[in-house]
Amino acid sequence: MSRVLNVAVVGCGIGRSHIVEGYLPNADKFKVLALCDLNPERLDQVGEEFGIERRIVNFDELLAMDDIDIIDVCTPPGAHFSMVTEALKAGKHVVCEKPLVGSLEDVDAIIEAEKSAKGKLMPVFQYRFGNGIEQAKTIIDAGIAGKPYCGTVETMWRREAPYYTVPWRGKWKTELGGVLMGHAIHPHDIFTYLMGDIAKVFGRVATRVNPIEVEDTISASLEMKSGALASFTATLGSVDEITRIRLQFENVTIESDHAPYNPGKELWKILPRNDEVKARIDEALANWQHVPSRFQTQMARFHDAIFGKGELPVTSADSRRALELVTAFYHSSSTHSEVALPLGPDHPLYQSWVPAEFR
Ligand SMILES: NC(=O)c1ccc[n+]([C@@H]2O[C@H](COP(=O)([O-])OP(=O)(O)OC[C@H]3O[C@@H](n4cnc5c(N)ncnc54)[C@H](O)[C@@H]3O)[C@@H](O)[C@H]2O)c1
């Protein structure tokens, strides 16, 4: 039987957006019962804004609270692994912001821990949800698009000095990577969600925009498992901000909306090759039901999955795929070589992609 689940949000930065976009619009499914943050001012500010009385500074206290069903981890990346494993061990369901963890070794350990856990784990990839992306996915999955030829992903965003005044950002040890790992991870996830697994990567990373340790500009040439080709480019130094994903299939050209932080929401440009393809697309989308974008749908589907009404909308396997690309990309860039996927424990960066001098 379905019921309202009690949530504890840990970290009041993006955690606030989880409340606004994810939990409040799904008030029949979730109640935010507790907030946790090391910063008492932020804790009070967000607690007052949403009338959340239970405010905790020490994460471990949450684990012992029997009335908390879900722990939503929205802390900086370096804290994710221990919080997720502890929360699973305590029998809680877990939501965790990207990046789920900071290495393939850690993601494999989490996948192992999930096998015996009582609760379910859902990493965040909120850009996957909305009418535009889901219509594209429906057309591709129905086999209408046909053979994939090639595609491009452009993540053209902007970050300036104030962004890096938050101490954990821009540093290998705490952010674990730059635009590749922390920003373009969303559009790259969309690409593989729609086009399938990557087989080979030749990537380059550079720091060109801000005086930071991690990269802020990247580019790669990729070969997909299907044989299709792709190129990914991203920077945090763009004057205007867009996210653009363009996919070329045998029967259809698909181009995302360009809204940088919500490319899935508005309808995408879908160009059928001929009238017959158009008729098949019209038929596939004939009874389309509106899909709210981002966290609203991701959280609603998490609730459904917990009560056996569907699959988890994002899984730790999806996180692994994203982190495998990150690992391959850094390795390719530092060795000036092509990297073939999948990557396992024998890969030199399996334990960490962070350069040794910054660990
Ligand atoms: N999905 C997205 O679009 C998106 C957007 C922004 C950030 N993020 C991710 O969300 C995470 C947080 O980013 P942010 O921008 O909100 O950072 P932030 O610095 O604004 O907020 C993080 C909060 O966590 C608190 N915190 C740190 N360690 C803690 C601990 N041990 N216990 C309790 N609280 C702790 C900090 O005090 C801070 O208030 C990162 O992993 C980031 O990559 C995702």
Side-chain angles (χ1 to χ4, degrees), residues 196-251:
D197 288 329
I198 294 166
K200 290 175 190 160
V201 181
F202 200 122
R204 294 178 196 278
V205 309
T207 308
R208 303 197 45 80
V209 183
N210 285 288
I212 53 176
E213 283 175 8
V214 296
E215 83 290 342
D216 54 27
T217 302
I218 58 130
S219 190
S221 169
L222 305 104
E223 188 180 313
M224 310 302 289
K225 239 181 172 174
S226 65
L229 303 181
S231 74
F232 292 179
T233 303
T235 184
L236 296 179
S238 181
V239 174
D240 65 342
E241 293 191 291
I242 65 159
T243 297
R244 176 166 50 200
I245 296 141
R246 197 172 156 104
L247 311 174
Q248 186 59 62
F249 289 85
E250 183 182 5
N251 300 325

Side-chain angles (χ1 to χ4, degrees), residues 13-14 37-38 42 74-75 80 97-98 126 168-169 186:
I14 193 74
D37 200 299
L38 290 179
R42 216 171 187 189
C74 298
T75 49
H80 293 180
E97 259 300 345
K98 59 80 195 162
Q126 83 273 22
W168 63 267
R169 293 192 182 130
H186 289 289

Side-chain angles (χ1 to χ4, degrees), residues 9-18 36-40 42-43 56-59 73-80 82-83 96-100 124-127 157 159 163 166-169 174-175 181-183 185-186 261 294-295:
V9 173
V10 188
C12 293
I14 193 74
R16 186 185 170 280
S17 303
H18 287 204
C36 174
D37 200 299
L38 290 179
N39 177 338
R42 216 171 187 189
L43 196 54
I56 311 292
V57 174
N58 180 358
F59 173 78
V73 178
C74 298
T75 49
H80 293 180
S82 63
M83 287 184 170
C96 183
E97 259 300 345
K98 59 80 195 162
L100 177 60
V124 167
F125 270 140
Q126 83 273 22
Y127 287 40
W157 296 0
R159 295 291 182 274
Y163 180 79
V166 175
W168 63 267
R169 293 192 182 130
T174 43
E175 193 174 7
M181 204 280 316
H183 306 83
I185 194 167
H186 289 289
Y261 305 115
R294 290 175 38 116
F295 297 116

Side-chain angles (χ1 to χ4, degrees), residues 13-41:
I14 193 74
R16 186 185 170 280
S17 303
H18 287 204
I19 297 171
V20 175
E21 289 184 48
Y23 298 124
L24 293 182
N26 287 304
D28 57 329
K29 298 181 169 66
F30 302 103
K31 179 176 170 57
V32 181
L33 199 62
L35 280 181
C36 174
D37 200 299
L38 290 179
N39 177 338
E41 278 167 27

Side-chain angles (χ1 to χ4, degrees), residues 1 22 28 53 76 83 121 145 168-169 172 187 255 300 327-328 333 335 343:
M1 196 191 66
D28 57 329
E53 300 296 330
M83 287 184 170
L121 165 65
W168 63 267
R169 293 192 182 130
W172 278 111
E255 184 170 325
T327 309
S333 185
T335 58
L343 306 183

